[in-house]
């Protein structure tokens, strides 16, 4: 159900005159708007007064609305328990009715959010054969249009400092390619991120090497190293995900102390237990996921701006060395990660005397030509390596002259009625394509069915031989 439909239902059925007057007062709508629900509906979704109302909310309420804005879905009154709590004893589970447990929660939601004009409230239809109270059927939504007016989710401090950043973590990970020793990790499945070379191809886990996978490995190590419960409620975020989201909201030169995450971790994870904010951030820094700075004895954190682009070298000649035979030696301590990704896509890689070497591959260059031809390192390889120069020039000459398809068959059907019959039989499939000069193309797995149709029509299948 989209915002407009929910708003229409709320204004028509689910709020009373007293609610409308309260919303008009909070948002600063003209008093006369309370007399017409249609006009009030148009005013509600406008930006009038929304910034002022949002700025008047508590920090906890602002964080909660950020969560609703992020998940972008309607929620029940139970979801507000993480914000306002619910009626239950200090010890043990509350065995009262649903209304007894959440009645006070609802009063706070209505007075603090609904009547201030920042939430849409509707009553869902009761499901067949399922008895529920009105409170159980209520659903709440925060309009996305209001999201841009939310105050900052975290209280940041501004320092024009570079900070401390462990860049070597990713560099050390690359040494795994040549058999280097790795930093101990608590990852349960190390194989999923192991860097290996097989048949000249560089892989990270079971996938082709991608620089972005290095970041996933880093964050997986961070997750595994933090001794915190990561089994969240359905749809909620883990403490690491919350931390990353909070730090992603920071602007240039803004830093965040770990204890500023306390409220956000509680509300975003839905857990009442205290989270070890300092430990979460410090371990993130240890794994090279965060930068930190100490100011007046207090530690602050932020995300690195360039963790995958950093290199002290400005020219490929500083991290690539061309051998006499045209192969290229790679310096894993300085090569940009994006360049390593390019080389992995166009070269056969091998380890020789604990050094990573790249040899031009005509097949790889042909397959990746359109994606790498504009890369500066590709032009450098063509100019400086005889092996790459030969392969690239050959690929350029052949490019566009030959098209190769796998798992594809071509058939010539001279009988027009038979061709029409085949096309009609597979009209719903995009896998069968009509070609000029009585030809059709289709996947190999369609051959038995097409052959059966042809023979049933009284025609004979002739197979062409490769000379």
């Amino acid at each position: 159900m989209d915002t407009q439909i929910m708003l229409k239902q709320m204004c028509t059925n689910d709020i009373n005159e007293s609610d409308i007057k309260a919303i008009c007062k909070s948002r600063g709508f003209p008093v006369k708007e309370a007399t017409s629900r249609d006009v009030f509906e148009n005013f509600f979704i406008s930006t009038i007064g929304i910034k002022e109302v949002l700025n008047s909310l508590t920090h906890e309420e602002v964080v909660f609305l950020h969560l609703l804005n992020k998940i972008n879905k309607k929620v029940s009154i139970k979801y507000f328990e993480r914000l306002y709590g619910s009626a239950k004893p200090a010890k043990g589970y509350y065995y009262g009715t649903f209304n007894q447990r959440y009645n006070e929660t609802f009063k706070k939601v209505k007075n603090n959010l609904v009547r201030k004009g920042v939430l849409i409230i509707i009553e869902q239809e009761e499901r067949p054969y399922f008895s529920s109270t009105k409170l159980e059927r209520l659903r709440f939504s925060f309009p996305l249009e209001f999201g841009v007016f939310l105050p900052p989710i975290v209280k940041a401090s501004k320092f024009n400092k570079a900070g401390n950043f462990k860049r070597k973590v990713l560099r050390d990970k690359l040494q795994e390619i040549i058999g280097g020793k790795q930093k101990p990790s608590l990852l349960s499945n190390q194989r999923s991120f192991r860097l290996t070379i097989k048949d000249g191809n560089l892989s990270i886990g079971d996938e082709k090497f991608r620089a972005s996978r290095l970041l996933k490995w880093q964050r997986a190590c961070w997750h595994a190293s933090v001794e915190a419960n990561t089994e969240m409620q359905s749809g909620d975020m883990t403490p690491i995900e919350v931390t990353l989201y909070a730090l992603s909201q920071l602007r240039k030169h803004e830093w965040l102390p770990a204890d500023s995450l306390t409220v956000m971790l509680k509300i975003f994870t839905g857990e009442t237990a205290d989270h070890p904010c300092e430990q979460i951030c410090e371990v993130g820094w240890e794994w090279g996921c965060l930068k930190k700075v100490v100011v007046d004895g207090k530690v602050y954190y932020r995300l690195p701006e360039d963790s995958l682009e950093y290199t002290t070298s400005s020219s490929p000649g500083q991290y690539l060395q061309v051998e006499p035979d045209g192969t290229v030696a790679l310096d894993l301590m300085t090569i940009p990660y994006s360049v390593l990704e390019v080389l992995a896509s166009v070269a056969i890689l091998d380890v020789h005397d604990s050094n990573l070497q790249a040899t031009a591959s005509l097949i790889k260059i042909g397959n990746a030509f359109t994606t790498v031809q504009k890369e500066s390192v590709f032009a450098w390889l063509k100019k400086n390596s005889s092996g790459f120069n030969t392969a690239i020039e050959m690929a350029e000459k052949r490019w566009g002259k030959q098209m190769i398809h796998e798992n594809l068959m071509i058939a010539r059907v001279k009988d027009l009625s038979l061709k029409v019959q085949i096309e009609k039989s597979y009209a719903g499939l995009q896998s069968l394509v009509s070609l000029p000069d009585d030809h059709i193309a289709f996947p190999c797995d369609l051959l038995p069915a097409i052959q059966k149709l042809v023979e049933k029509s009284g025609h004979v299948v002739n197979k062409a031989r490769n000379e």
Side-chain angles (χ1 to χ4, degrees):
M1 186 181 294
D2 63 25
T3 299
Q4 207 59 46
I5 296 175
M6 290 184 66
L7 181 59
K8 170 67 73 175
Q9 180 179 328
M10 178 183 80
C11 295
T12 304
N13 302 317
D14 296 320
I15 53 175
N16 55 38
E17 299 300 327
S18 177
D19 296 329
I20 292 178
K21 289 180 181 179
I23 293 171
C24 286
K25 182 178 180 181
S26 297
R27 293 279 298 276
F29 299 159
V31 177
K32 63 179 182 179
E33 309 313 332
T35 61
S36 170
R37 293 195 173 223
D38 289 335
V39 176
F40 170 78
E41 179 184 331
N42 292 328
F43 267 79
F44 184 93
I45 206 64
S46 73
T47 60
I48 297 174
I50 190 61
K51 184 176 181 179
E52 291 75 14
V53 170
L54 292 175
N55 285 333
S56 72
L57 302 179
T58 66
H59 177 57
E60 288 80 3
E61 289 168 340
V62 168
V63 170
F64 184 83
L65 292 181
H66 270 282
L67 174 58
L68 292 187
N69 189 58
K70 185 178 188 305
I71 64 176
N72 187 27
K73 64 181 182 181
K74 59 182 183 289
V75 297
S76 69
I77 192 63
K78 289 177 64 176
Y79 206 75
F80 291 83
E81 188 171 10
R82 66 186 67 196
L83 174 61
Y84 294 128
S86 61
K88 56 183 177 181
K91 296 181 180 180
Y93 182 79
Y94 187 87
Y95 288 99
T97 65
F98 186 92
N99 283 13
Q100 288 173 328
R101 182 169 182 176
Y102 292 106
N103 191 51
E104 290 301 316
T105 308
F106 171 68
K107 288 180 181 178
K108 293 176 181 177
V109 172
K110 187 168 185 179
N111 291 330
N112 299 350
L113 299 174
V114 174
R115 285 195 159 197
K116 286 189 177 180
V118 299
L119 284 185
I120 296 175
I121 177 175
I122 64 168
E123 180 183 348
Q124 287 194 157
E125 292 184 6
E126 190 167 21
R127 288 181 290 171
Y129 313 110
F130 184 83
S131 177
S132 61
T133 64
K134 179 178 179 178
L135 187 56
E136 290 177 282
R137 296 192 297 274
L138 290 180
R139 294 296 180 268
F140 305 83
S141 175
F142 179 70
L144 285 178
E145 293 84 351
F146 295 168
V148 294
F149 299 101
L150 280 168
I153 194 170
V154 289
K155 297 176 181 179
S157 300
K158 199 164 187 176
F159 308 114
N160 190 6
K161 295 180 178 293
N164 191 332
F165 179 41
K166 293 199 171 187
R167 299 185 184 275
K168 260 187 110 261
V169 173
L170 283 184
R171 290 294 164 187
D172 289 343
K173 175 63 175 175
L174 290 187
Q175 299 303 306
E176 188 175 52
I177 300 172
I178 57 175
K181 195 172 182 180
Q182 293 299 294
K183 178 179 178 179
S185 167
L186 299 176
L187 276 178
S188 59
N189 186 8
Q190 294 277 9
R191 292 177 59 86
S192 60
F193 291 101
R194 191 180 300 279
L195 286 165
T196 56
I197 294 177
K198 184 177 180 181
D199 299 328
N201 299 310
L202 177 61
S203 300
I204 180 165
D206 297 326
E207 300 181 18
K208 291 181 180 179
F209 175 79
R210 292 287 184 272
S212 58
R213 286 279 291 168
L214 290 175
L215 285 183
K216 291 183 179 180
W217 165 79
Q218 261 188 317
R219 292 177 179 179
C221 291
W222 183 9
H223 271 278
S225 300
V226 172
E227 294 182 1
N229 176 22
T230 57
E231 295 181 3
M232 300 297 112
Q233 300 174 25
S234 177
D236 290 333
M237 301 166 68
T238 68
I240 306 298
E241 291 169 338
V242 175
T243 302
L244 286 169
Y245 181 75
L247 296 176
S248 71
Q249 307 301 303
L250 297 180
R251 299 176 182 177
K252 190 175 182 180
H253 302 313
E254 286 187 342
W255 297 78
L256 195 68
D259 55 14
S260 293
L261 293 169
T262 303
V263 172
M264 190 173 172
L265 282 167
K266 171 182 173 290
I267 290 176
F268 269 60
T269 64
E271 293 184 329
T272 56
D274 291 334
H275 292 278
C277 303
E278 291 288 349
Q279 181 193 6
I280 290 172
C281 292
E282 189 66 13
V283 173
W285 172 74
E286 288 285 352
W287 278 105
C289 299
L290 305 180
K291 296 173 72 172
K292 80 172 180 178
V293 67
V294 180
V295 178
D296 297 331
K298 189 164 186 175
V299 183
Y300 297 80
Y301 300 88
R302 66 171 289 116
L303 295 176
E305 298 85 0
D306 55 359
S307 57
L308 282 179
E309 294 301 327
Y310 172 78
T311 176
T312 56
S313 310
S314 58
S315 167
Q318 300 296 316
Y319 47 80
L320 300 178
Q321 181 179 338
V322 180
E323 305 294 343
D325 61 356
T327 60
V328 178
L330 288 61
D331 184 352
L332 290 176
M333 293 307 296
T334 56
I335 186 171
Y337 305 104
S338 58
V339 172
L340 178 58
E341 187 173 317
V342 170
L343 283 168
S345 69
V346 299
I348 296 172
L349 300 179
D350 188 26
V351 178
H352 182 69
D353 292 336
S354 298
N355 291 308
L356 183 61
Q357 295 184 334
T359 305
S361 168
L362 177 59
I363 295 176
K364 282 189 171 185
I365 291 172
N367 290 336
F369 191 75
T370 55
T371 58
V372 301
Q373 61 178 329
K374 293 183 180 180
E375 297 285 346
S376 58
V377 69
F378 195 63
W380 187 92
L381 289 168
K382 181 180 178 181
K383 180 180 179 180
N384 293 276
S385 166
S386 59
F388 277 93
N389 179 276
T390 301
I392 292 172
E393 286 189 346
M394 190 176 295
E396 288 174 338
K397 289 178 182 178
R398 294 182 178 181
W399 183 254
K401 294 182 179 180
Q402 186 176 24
M403 186 176 294
I404 300 173
H405 295 275
E406 294 182 352
N407 191 36
L408 186 68
M409 300 199 78
I410 305 291
R412 188 177 186 185
V413 186
K414 294 183 179 180
D415 188 284
L416 180 59
S417 62
L418 176 60
K419 187 180 180 186
V420 171
Q421 186 179 354
I422 294 173
E423 290 172 346
K424 284 186 176 181
S425 298
Y426 298 95
L429 298 178
Q430 295 182 346
S431 53
L432 188 141
V433 180
S434 293
L435 302 173
D437 301 325
D438 303 325
H439 288 85
I440 58 173
F442 53 89
C444 292
D445 56 9
L446 272 184
L447 177 61
I450 291 178
Q451 186 171 330
K452 185 176 180 180
L453 188 153
V454 171
E455 293 173 346
K456 188 176 181 180
S457 301
H459 294 82
V460 178
V461 177
N462 292 320
K463 297 182 179 179
R465 294 183 299 171
N466 295 322
E467 298 293 343

